[in-house]
Coordinates of all heavy atoms in Angstrom, one line a residue:
D1076 N 250.3 38.7 -83.5 CA 251.2 39.7 -82.9 C 251.0 41.1 -83.5 O 251.4 42.1 -82.8 CB 252.7 39.3 -83.1 CG 253.1 39.1 -84.5 OD1 252.3 39.4 -85.4 OD2 254.3 38.7 -84.7
H1077 N 250.4 41.3 -84.6 CA 250.2 42.6 -85.1 C 248.7 43.1 -85.0 O 248.4 44.2 -85.3 CB 250.6 42.6 -86.6 CG 249.8 41.7 -87.5 ND1 250.0 40.3 -87.4 CD2 248.8 41.9 -88.4 CE1 249.2 39.7 -88.3 NE2 248.4 40.6 -88.8
L1078 N 247.8 42.2 -84.5 CA 246.4 42.5 -84.3 C 246.0 42.2 -82.9 O 245.9 41.0 -82.6 CB 245.5 41.8 -85.3 CG 245.8 42.0 -86.8 CD1 245.1 41.0 -87.6 CD2 245.4 43.4 -87.2
S1079 N 245.8 43.1 -82.0 CA 245.5 42.8 -80.7 C 244.0 43.0 -80.3 O 243.7 43.2 -79.1 CB 246.4 43.6 -79.7 OG 246.3 45.0 -79.9
T1080 N 243.2 43.1 -81.2 CA 241.7 43.3 -80.9 C 241.1 41.9 -80.7 O 241.4 40.9 -81.3 CB 241.0 44.0 -82.0 OG1 241.1 43.3 -83.3 CG2 241.6 45.4 -82.3
P1081 N 240.0 41.9 -79.8 CA 239.4 40.6 -79.5 C 238.8 39.9 -80.8 O 238.8 38.7 -80.8 CB 238.3 41.0 -78.6 CG 238.8 42.2 -77.9 CD 239.6 42.9 -79.0
R1082 N 238.4 40.6 -81.8 CA 237.8 39.9 -82.9 C 238.8 39.1 -83.7 O 238.5 38.2 -84.5 CB 237.1 40.8 -83.9 CG 237.9 41.7 -84.7 CD 237.0 42.6 -85.6 NE 237.8 43.4 -86.4 CZ 238.3 43.2 -87.6 NH1 237.9 42.1 -88.2 NH2 239.0 44.0 -88.3
H1083 N 240.1 39.3 -83.4 CA 241.2 38.5 -84.1 C 241.8 37.5 -83.1 O 242.8 37.0 -83.4 CB 242.3 39.5 -84.6 CG 241.8 40.3 -85.7 ND1 241.6 39.9 -87.0 CD2 241.5 41.7 -85.8 CE1 241.2 40.8 -87.8 NE2 241.1 41.9 -87.0
A1084 N 241.1 37.3 -82.0 CA 241.6 36.4 -81.0 C 241.2 35.0 -81.2 O 240.2 34.7 -81.9 CB 241.2 36.8 -79.6
V1085 N 241.9 34.0 -80.7 CA 241.5 32.6 -80.7 C 241.7 32.0 -79.3 O 242.7 32.4 -78.6 CB 242.4 31.9 -81.8 CG1 243.9 32.0 -81.5 CG2 242.0 30.4 -81.9
R1086 N 240.8 31.2 -78.9 CA 240.9 30.6 -77.6 C 241.6 29.2 -77.8 O 241.2 28.4 -78.7 CB 239.5 30.4 -77.0 CG 239.4 29.9 -75.6 CD 240.0 30.8 -74.6 NE 239.1 32.0 -74.4 CZ 239.4 33.0 -73.6 NH1 240.5 32.9 -72.9 NH2 238.7 34.0 -73.5
I1087 N 242.6 29.0 -77.0 CA 243.4 27.7 -77.2 C 242.6 26.6 -76.5 O 242.2 26.7 -75.4 CB 244.8 27.9 -76.5 CG1 245.5 29.1 -77.2 CG2 245.6 26.6 -76.7 CD1 245.7 29.0 -78.7
S1088 N 242.5 25.5 -77.3 CA 241.9 24.3 -76.8 C 242.6 23.1 -77.3 O 242.8 22.9 -78.5 CB 240.4 24.2 -77.2 OG 239.9 23.0 -76.9
Q1089 N 243.1 22.3 -76.4 CA 243.9 21.1 -76.8 C 243.0 20.1 -77.6 O 243.5 19.4 -78.5 CB 244.4 20.3 -75.6 CG 245.5 21.1 -74.8 CD 246.8 21.2 -75.5 OE1 247.1 20.5 -76.5 NE2 247.6 22.1 -75.1
S1090 N 241.7 20.1 -77.4 CA 240.9 19.2 -78.1 C 240.6 19.5 -79.5 O 240.3 18.6 -80.3 CB 239.5 19.0 -77.3 OG 238.9 20.3 -77.3
C1091 N 240.7 20.8 -79.9 CA 240.3 21.1 -81.3 C 241.2 22.2 -82.0 O 241.1 22.2 -83.2 CB 238.8 21.5 -81.3 SG 238.5 23.0 -80.4
N1092 N 241.9 23.0 -81.2 CA 242.6 24.1 -81.9 C 244.1 24.0 -82.0 O 244.7 24.8 -82.5 CB 242.2 25.4 -81.3 CG 240.8 25.9 -81.7 OD1 240.2 25.3 -82.5 ND2 240.4 26.9 -81.0
I1093 N 244.7 22.9 -81.4 CA 246.1 22.8 -81.5 C 246.5 21.5 -82.2 O 245.9 20.4 -81.9 CB 246.8 22.8 -80.2 CG1 246.7 24.3 -79.6 CG2 248.3 22.5 -80.3 CD1 247.4 24.5 -78.3
H1094 N 247.4 21.5 -83.2 CA 247.8 20.3 -83.9 C 249.3 20.3 -83.9 O 250.0 21.2 -84.3 CB 247.2 20.4 -85.3 CG 247.7 19.3 -86.2 ND1 247.3 18.0 -86.0 CD2 248.5 19.3 -87.3 CE1 247.8 17.2 -86.9 NE2 248.6 18.0 -87.7
Q1095 N 249.9 19.2 -83.4 CA 251.3 19.1 -83.4 C 251.8 18.6 -84.7 O 251.3 17.5 -85.2 CB 251.7 18.1 -82.3 CG 253.2 18.0 -82.1 CD 253.8 19.2 -81.5 OE1 253.2 19.9 -80.7 NE2 255.0 19.5 -81.8
C1096 N 252.7 19.3 -85.3 CA 253.3 18.9 -86.6 C 254.7 18.6 -86.4 O 255.6 19.5 -86.5 CB 253.1 20.1 -87.6 SG 251.4 20.5 -87.9
P1097 N 255.1 17.4 -86.2 CA 256.5 17.1 -85.9 C 257.5 17.4 -87.0 O 258.6 17.9 -86.7 CB 256.5 15.5 -85.6 CG 255.1 15.1 -85.8 CD 254.2 16.2 -86.2
D1098 N 257.0 17.3 -88.2 CA 257.9 17.6 -89.3 C 258.1 19.1 -89.5 O 259.0 19.6 -90.2 CB 257.5 17.0 -90.6 CG 256.0 17.3 -91.0 OD1 255.3 17.8 -90.1 OD2 255.7 17.1 -92.1
S1099 N 257.3 20.0 -88.9 CA 257.4 21.4 -89.1 C 258.1 22.1 -87.9 O 258.3 23.3 -87.8 CB 256.0 22.0 -89.3 OG 255.3 22.0 -88.1
G1100 N 258.5 21.3 -86.9 CA 259.2 21.8 -85.8 C 258.4 22.3 -84.6 O 258.9 23.0 -83.7
G1101 N 257.1 22.1 -84.6 CA 256.3 22.6 -83.5 C 254.8 22.6 -83.8 O 254.3 22.2 -84.8
P1102 N 254.0 23.1 -82.8 CA 252.6 23.1 -82.9 C 252.1 24.2 -83.8 O 252.7 25.2 -84.0 CB 252.1 23.3 -81.5 CG 253.2 24.0 -80.8 CD 254.5 23.6 -81.5
W1103 N 250.9 23.9 -84.4 CA 250.2 24.9 -85.2 C 248.9 25.1 -84.5 O 248.3 24.2 -83.9 CB 250.0 24.4 -86.6 CG 251.3 24.5 -87.4 CD1 252.5 24.0 -87.1 CD2 251.4 25.1 -88.7 NE1 253.4 24.3 -88.1 CE2 252.8 24.9 -89.1 CE3 250.5 25.7 -89.6 CZ2 253.2 25.3 -90.3 CZ3 251.0 26.1 -90.8 CH2 252.4 25.9 -91.2
V1104 N 248.3 26.3 -84.7 CA 247.0 26.6 -84.0 C 246.0 26.9 -85.1 O 246.3 27.7 -86.0 CB 247.2 27.8 -83.1 CG1 245.9 28.2 -82.4 CG2 248.2 27.5 -82.0
K1105 N 244.8 26.3 -85.0 CA 243.7 26.6 -85.9 C 243.0 27.8 -85.4 O 242.6 27.9 -84.3 CB 242.8 25.4 -86.0 CG 241.8 25.5 -87.1 CD 241.1 24.2 -87.3 CE 240.3 24.2 -88.5 NZ 239.6 22.9 -88.8
T1106 N 242.8 28.8 -86.3 CA 242.2 30.0 -85.9 C 240.7 29.9 -86.1 O 240.2 29.2 -87.1 CB 242.7 31.2 -86.8 OG1 242.4 31.0 -88.1 CG2 244.2 31.4 -86.6
D1107 N 239.8 30.5 -85.3 CA 238.4 30.4 -85.4 C 237.9 31.3 -86.6 O 236.8 31.0 -87.1 CB 237.6 30.8 -84.3 CG 238.2 30.9 -82.9 OD1 239.1 31.7 -82.7 OD2 237.6 30.3 -82.1
D1108 N 238.5 32.4 -86.9 CA 237.9 33.3 -87.9 C 237.9 32.7 -89.3 O 237.0 33.1 -90.1 CB 238.6 34.7 -87.8 CG 240.1 34.6 -88.0 OD1 240.7 33.5 -87.8 OD2 240.7 35.6 -88.4
N1109 N 238.9 31.9 -89.7 CA 238.9 31.5 -91.1 C 239.2 30.0 -91.2 O 239.3 29.4 -92.3 CB 239.9 32.3 -91.9 CG 241.3 32.2 -91.4 OD1 241.6 31.3 -90.6 ND2 242.2 33.0 -91.9
G1110 N 239.4 29.3 -90.1 CA 239.6 27.8 -90.2 C 241.0 27.4 -90.7 O 241.3 26.3 -90.9
Q1111 N 241.9 28.4 -90.9 CA 243.2 28.1 -91.3 C 244.2 27.7 -90.2 O 244.0 28.2 -89.1 CB 243.8 29.3 -92.1 CG 243.1 29.7 -93.3 CD 243.1 28.6 -94.4 OE1 244.1 28.1 -94.7 NE2 241.9 28.3 -94.9
W1112 N 245.2 26.9 -90.5 CA 246.2 26.6 -89.5 C 247.3 27.6 -89.6 O 247.8 27.9 -90.7 CB 246.7 25.2 -89.7 CG 245.7 24.1 -89.4 CD1 244.9 23.6 -90.3 CD2 245.5 23.5 -88.2 NE1 244.1 22.6 -89.7 CE2 244.4 22.6 -88.4 CE3 246.0 23.6 -86.9 CZ2 243.9 21.8 -87.4 CZ3 245.5 22.9 -85.9 CH2 244.5 21.9 -86.1
K1113 N 247.8 28.1 -88.4 CA 248.8 29.1 -88.4 C 249.9 28.6 -87.4 O 249.6 28.0 -86.4 CB 248.3 30.4 -87.8 CG 247.2 31.1 -88.6 CD 247.8 31.7 -89.8 CE 246.6 32.4 -90.5 NZ 247.0 33.0 -91.8
P1114 N 251.2 28.8 -87.8 CA 252.3 28.4 -86.8 C 252.1 29.2 -85.6 O 251.7 30.4 -85.6 CB 253.6 28.8 -87.6 CG 253.2 29.0 -89.0 CD 251.7 29.4 -89.0
E1115 N 252.4 28.6 -84.4 CA 252.1 29.4 -83.2 C 253.0 30.6 -83.1 O 252.7 31.5 -82.3 CB 252.3 28.4 -82.0 CG 253.7 28.2 -81.6 CD 253.8 27.6 -80.2 OE1 252.7 27.2 -79.6 OE2 254.9 27.5 -79.7
R1116 N 254.1 30.7 -83.8 CA 255.0 31.8 -83.7 C 254.2 33.1 -84.2 O 254.6 34.2 -83.9 CB 256.3 31.6 -84.5 CG 256.1 31.6 -86.0 CD 257.4 31.4 -86.7 NE 257.2 31.2 -88.1 CZ 256.9 30.0 -88.7 NH1 256.9 28.9 -88.0 NH2 256.8 29.9 -90.0
D1117 N 253.1 32.9 -84.9 CA 252.3 34.1 -85.4 C 251.4 34.6 -84.3 O 250.7 35.6 -84.5 CB 251.5 33.7 -86.7 CG 252.4 33.5 -87.9 OD1 253.6 33.9 -87.8 OD2 252.0 32.9 -88.8
L1118 N 251.3 33.8 -83.2 CA 250.3 34.2 -82.2 C 251.0 34.5 -80.9 O 252.1 34.0 -80.6 CB 249.4 33.0 -81.9 CG 248.5 32.6 -83.1 CD1 247.7 31.4 -82.8 CD2 247.5 33.7 -83.5
L1119 N 250.4 35.4 -80.1 CA 251.0 35.8 -78.8 C 249.9 35.6 -77.8 O 248.7 35.8 -78.1 CB 251.4 37.2 -78.8 CG 252.7 37.5 -79.7 CD1 252.9 39.0 -79.7 CD2 253.9 36.8 -79.1
P1120 N 250.2 35.3 -76.5 CA 249.2 35.2 -75.5 C 248.6 36.6 -75.2 O 249.3 37.6 -75.2 CB 249.9 34.6 -74.3 CG 251.3 35.0 -74.5 CD 251.5 35.0 -76.0
D1121 N 247.3 36.6 -75.0 CA 246.6 37.9 -74.6 C 246.7 38.0 -73.1 O 245.9 37.5 -72.4 CB 245.2 37.9 -75.1 CG 244.4 39.1 -74.8 OD1 245.0 40.0 -74.1 OD2 243.3 39.3 -75.2
L1122 N 247.7 38.8 -72.7 CA 247.9 38.9 -71.2 C 247.0 39.9 -70.5 O 247.1 40.2 -69.4 CB 249.4 39.3 -70.9 CG 250.4 38.3 -71.4 CD1 251.8 38.7 -71.1 CD2 250.1 36.9 -70.8
T1123 N 245.9 40.4 -71.3 CA 244.9 41.1 -70.7 C 243.7 40.3 -70.4 O 242.7 40.7 -69.8 CB 244.4 42.3 -71.6 OG1 243.9 41.8 -72.8 CG2 245.6 43.2 -71.9
D1124 N 243.7 39.0 -70.8 CA 242.6 38.1 -70.7 C 242.7 37.4 -69.3 O 243.7 36.8 -69.0 CB 242.6 37.1 -71.8 CG 241.6 36.0 -71.7 OD1 240.4 36.4 -71.6 OD2 241.9 34.8 -71.6
P1125 N 241.6 37.4 -68.5 CA 241.7 36.8 -67.2 C 242.0 35.3 -67.2 O 242.8 34.8 -66.4 CB 240.3 37.0 -66.6 CG 239.7 38.2 -67.3 CD 240.4 38.1 -68.7
A1126 N 241.5 34.6 -68.2 CA 241.7 33.1 -68.3 C 243.2 32.9 -68.6 O 243.8 32.0 -68.1 CB 240.8 32.5 -69.3
T1127 N 243.8 33.7 -69.5 CA 245.2 33.6 -69.8 C 246.1 33.8 -68.6 O 247.1 33.2 -68.4 CB 245.5 34.5 -71.0 OG1 244.6 34.2 -72.1 CG2 247.0 34.3 -71.4
L1128 N 245.7 34.8 -67.8 CA 246.5 35.1 -66.6 C 246.4 33.9 -65.6 O 247.4 33.6 -65.0 CB 245.9 36.4 -65.9 CG 246.2 37.7 -66.6 CD1 245.6 38.9 -65.9 CD2 247.7 37.9 -66.8
G1129 N 245.2 33.3 -65.5 CA 245.1 32.1 -64.7 C 246.0 31.0 -65.2 O 246.6 30.3 -64.4
C1130 N 246.1 30.8 -66.5 CA 246.9 29.8 -67.1 C 248.4 30.1 -66.9 O 249.2 29.2 -66.6 CB 246.6 29.7 -68.6 SG 245.0 29.0 -69.0
L1131 N 248.7 31.4 -66.9 CA 250.1 31.8 -66.7 C 250.5 31.5 -65.2 O 251.6 31.1 -64.9 CB 250.3 33.3 -67.0 CG 251.7 33.9 -67.0 CD1 252.6 33.1 -67.9 CD2 251.6 35.3 -67.4
L1132 N 249.6 31.8 -64.3 CA 249.8 31.4 -62.9 C 250.0 29.9 -62.7 O 250.9 29.5 -62.0 CB 248.6 31.9 -62.0 CG 248.7 31.5 -60.5 CD1 250.0 32.0 -59.9 CD2 247.5 32.0 -59.8
A1133 N 249.3 29.1 -63.5 CA 249.4 27.7 -63.4 C 250.8 27.3 -63.9 O 251.5 26.4 -63.4 CB 248.3 27.0 -64.2
L1134 N 251.3 28.0 -65.0 CA 252.7 27.7 -65.5 C 253.7 28.1 -64.4 O 254.7 27.4 -64.3 CB 252.9 28.4 -66.8 CG 252.2 28.0 -68.0 CD1 252.5 28.9 -69.2 CD2 252.5 26.5 -68.3
V1135 N 253.5 29.2 -63.7 CA 254.4 29.6 -62.7 C 254.4 28.5 -61.6 O 255.5 28.1 -61.1 CB 254.1 31.0 -62.1 CG1 254.8 31.3 -60.8 CG2 254.3 32.1 -63.2
R1136 N 253.3 28.1 -61.1 CA 253.2 27.1 -60.1 C 253.9 25.8 -60.5 O 254.6 25.2 -59.7 CB 251.7 26.8 -59.8 CG 251.1 27.9 -59.0 CD 249.6 27.6 -58.8 NE 249.1 28.7 -57.9 CZ 247.8 28.9 -57.7 NH1 246.9 28.1 -58.3 NH2 247.4 29.8 -56.9
E1137 N 253.7 25.4 -61.8 CA 254.4 24.2 -62.3 C 255.9 24.4 -62.3 O 256.7 23.5 -61.9 CB 253.8 23.9 -63.7 CG 254.4 22.6 -64.3 CD 253.8 22.4 -65.7 OE1 252.6 22.1 -65.8 OE2 254.5 22.6 -66.7
A1138 N 256.3 25.5 -62.9 CA 257.8 25.8 -63.0 C 258.5 25.9 -61.7 O 259.6 25.4 -61.6 CB 258.0 27.1 -63.8
W1139 N 257.9 26.4 -60.7 CA 258.5 26.5 -59.3 C 258.1 25.3 -58.5 O 258.5 25.2 -57.3 CB 258.0 27.8 -58.6 CG 258.7 29.0 -59.2 CD1 258.3 29.8 -60.1 CD2 260.0 29.5 -58.8 NE1 259.2 30.8 -60.4 CE2 260.2 30.7 -59.5 CE3 260.9 29.1 -57.8 CZ2 261.4 31.4 -59.4 CZ3 262.1 29.8 -57.6 CH2 262.3 31.0 -58.4
A1140 N 257.4 24.3 -59.0 CA 256.9 23.1 -58.2 C 256.2 23.6 -56.9 O 256.5 23.1 -55.9 CB 258.1 22.2 -58.0
S1141 N 255.3 24.5 -57.1 CA 254.7 25.1 -55.9 C 253.2 25.3 -56.1 O 252.8 26.3 -56.8 CB 255.3 26.4 -55.5 OG 254.6 27.0 -54.4
P1142 N 252.3 24.5 -55.5 CA 250.9 24.8 -55.6 C 250.5 26.1 -54.9 O 249.4 26.5 -55.0 CB 250.2 23.6 -55.1 CG 251.3 23.0 -54.1 CD 252.6 23.3 -54.7
L1143 N 251.4 26.6 -54.1 CA 251.1 27.8 -53.2 C 251.5 29.1 -53.9 O 251.2 30.2 -53.4 CB 251.8 27.7 -51.9 CG 251.5 26.5 -51.0 CD1 252.3 26.5 -49.8 CD2 250.0 26.4 -50.7
A1144 N 252.1 29.1 -55.1 CA 252.5 30.3 -55.7 C 251.3 31.2 -55.9 O 250.2 30.7 -56.2 CB 253.1 30.0 -57.1
Q1145 N 251.4 32.5 -55.7 CA 250.3 33.4 -55.8 C 250.8 34.8 -56.3 O 251.9 35.1 -56.3 CB 249.7 33.6 -54.4 CG 250.6 34.1 -53.4 CD 250.0 34.1 -52.0 OE1 249.1 34.8 -51.8 NE2 250.6 33.4 -51.1
V1146 N 249.8 35.5 -56.8 CA 250.1 36.9 -57.2 C 249.1 37.8 -56.5 O 247.9 37.5 -56.3 CB 250.0 37.0 -58.8 CG1 248.6 36.7 -59.3 CG2 250.5 38.3 -59.3
S1147 N 249.6 39.0 -56.1 CA 248.7 39.9 -55.3 C 249.1 41.3 -55.7 O 250.2 41.7 -56.0 CB 249.0 39.7 -53.8 OG 248.8 38.4 -53.4
P1148 N 248.0 42.2 -55.6 CA 248.3 43.6 -55.7 C 249.1 44.2 -54.5 O 248.9 43.7 -53.4 CB 246.9 44.3 -55.8 CG 246.0 43.3 -55.1 CD 246.6 42.0 -55.3
M1149 N 250.0 45.1 -54.8 CA 250.7 45.8 -53.7 C 250.0 47.0 -53.4 O 250.0 48.0 -54.2 CB 252.2 46.0 -54.2 CG 252.9 44.8 -54.4 SD 254.6 45.0 -55.0 CE 255.0 46.7 -55.0
L1150 N 249.4 47.1 -52.2 CA 248.7 48.2 -51.8 C 249.4 48.9 -50.6 O 250.0 48.2 -49.8 CB 247.3 47.8 -51.3 CG 246.4 47.2 -52.4 CD1 245.1 46.7 -51.8 CD2 246.2 48.1 -53.6
P1151 N 249.5 50.1 -50.5 CA 248.9 51.2 -51.3 C 249.9 51.7 -52.5 O 249.5 52.5 -53.3 CB 248.7 52.3 -50.3 CG 249.8 52.2 -49.4 CD 250.1 50.7 -49.3
Q1152 N 251.1 51.1 -52.5 CA 252.1 51.7 -53.5 C 251.8 51.4 -54.9 O 252.3 52.0 -55.8 CB 253.5 51.2 -53.1 CG 253.7 49.7 -53.1 CD 253.5 49.1 -51.8 OE1 252.5 49.3 -51.2 NE2 254.4 48.2 -51.4
G1153 N 251.0 50.4 -55.2 CA 250.6 50.0 -56.6 C 251.6 48.9 -57.1 O 252.6 48.6 -56.5
G1154 N 251.2 48.4 -58.3 CA 252.0 47.3 -58.9 C 251.5 46.0 -58.3 O 250.5 45.9 -57.6
W1155 N 252.2 44.9 -58.8 CA 251.8 43.5 -58.4 C 253.0 42.8 -58.0 O 254.2 43.1 -58.3 CB 251.2 42.8 -59.6 CG 249.8 43.3 -59.9 CD1 249.5 44.5 -60.5 CD2 248.6 42.7 -59.5 NE1 248.1 44.6 -60.6 CE2 247.5 43.5 -60.0 CE3 248.2 41.5 -58.9 CZ2 246.2 43.2 -59.9 CZ3 246.9 41.2 -58.8 CH2 245.9 42.0 -59.2
V1156 N 252.8 41.7 -57.2 CA 253.9 40.9 -56.7 C 253.5 39.4 -56.8 O 252.4 39.1 -56.6 CB 254.4 41.3 -55.3 CG1 253.3 41.1 -54.3 CG2 255.7 40.6 -54.9
C1157 N 254.5 38.6 -57.3 CA 254.2 37.2 -57.4 C 255.2 36.5 -56.4 O 256.4 36.7 -56.4 CB 254.5 36.7 -58.8 SG 254.2 34.9 -59.0
Y1158 N 254.6 35.6 -55.5 CA 255.4 34.9 -54.6 C 255.4 33.4 -55.0 O 254.3 32.7 -54.9 CB 254.7 35.0 -53.2 CG 254.6 36.4 -52.6 CD1 253.4 37.1 -52.8 CD2 255.7 37.0 -52.0 CE1 253.3 38.4 -52.3 CE2 255.6 38.3 -51.5 CZ 254.4 38.9 -51.6 OH 254.3 40.2 -51.1
P1159 N 256.5 32.8 -55.3 CA 256.6 31.4 -55.6 C 256.3 30.5 -54.4 O 255.6 29.4 -54.5 CB 258.0 31.1 -56.1 CG 258.5 32.4 -56.5 CD 257.8 33.4 -55.6

Side-chain angles (χ1 to χ4, degrees):
D1076 60 4
H1077 60 287
L1078 300 170
S1079 58
T1080 60
R1082 76 180 175 92
H1083 294 287
V1085 57
R1086 187 68 65 184
I1087 302 301
S1088 168
Q1089 294 291 342
S1090 62
C1091 62
N1092 284 352
I1093 292 184
H1094 176 67
Q1095 186 69 34
C1096 300
D1098 55 343
S1099 69
W1103 285 48
V1104 178
K1105 191 171 190 175
T1106 61
D1107 339 61
D1108 56 337
N1109 61 12
Q1111 298 296 310
W1112 291 91
K1113 301 280 185 189
E1115 79 166 11
R1116 69 180 174 273
D1117 292 344
L1118 297 174
L1119 292 172
D1121 180 355
L1122 298 180
T1123 65
D1124 175 57
T1127 304
L1128 290 176
C1130 292
L1131 188 55
L1132 175 57
L1134 290 177
V1135 167
R1136 287 176 174 165
E1137 182 180 290
W1139 284 94
S1141 173
L1143 301 177
Q1145 59 184 298
V1146 62
S1147 303
M1149 294 178 7
L1150 300 173
Q1152 61 269 46
W1155 288 77
V1156 63
C1157 180
Y1158 301 96

